[in-house]
Amino acid sequence: MADVLTAKQGDTLDELIWRERGLGAADIGRVLALNPGVADIGAILPLGATVAMPVSMTPAPRMLPLIQLWD
C-alpha cells in the first residue's frame, strides 16, 4: 500500500518528499525503488507528476531538548 504525492511546479524529488513528509536524502533510494522510471524524468518533476510513497515512510517525531533557565 502506498500514498501518492503530487509535484508542484519546479519540485525535485527531494524537495517533494521533504515538504510532504520531512524525509531526506537517505530515503530517496526507497522512493526511487517504488517508482521505476521517475529518475528518467529528470531533475525537476513535471507539474502534477505523482510519486508513490510507502505508508511506513514517515519521519519519527523530532524531540527537542528541554531548555530550562535555571538548572
Side-chain angles (χ1 to χ4, degrees):
M1 182 176 224
D3 288 336
V4 176
L5 304 180
T6 304
K8 295 181 181 178
Q9 187 164 351
D11 271 348
T12 60
L13 184 59
D14 56 338
E15 281 179 311
L16 179 63
I17 67 172
W18 171 255
R19 182 183 66 241
E20 299 294 331
R21 293 288 181 90
L23 300 172
D27 303 299
I28 288 181
R30 293 187 347 197
V31 175
L32 289 172
L34 188 62
N35 296 277
V38 77
D40 298 331
I41 293 173
I44 298 180
L45 299 171
L47 177 65
T50 57
V51 176
M53 295 285 295
V55 175
S56 63
M57 285 187 72
T58 55
R62 295 183 181 153
M63 299 293 293
L64 298 176
L66 180 62
I67 299 173
Q68 296 182 357
L69 297 177
W70 297 275
D71 278 337

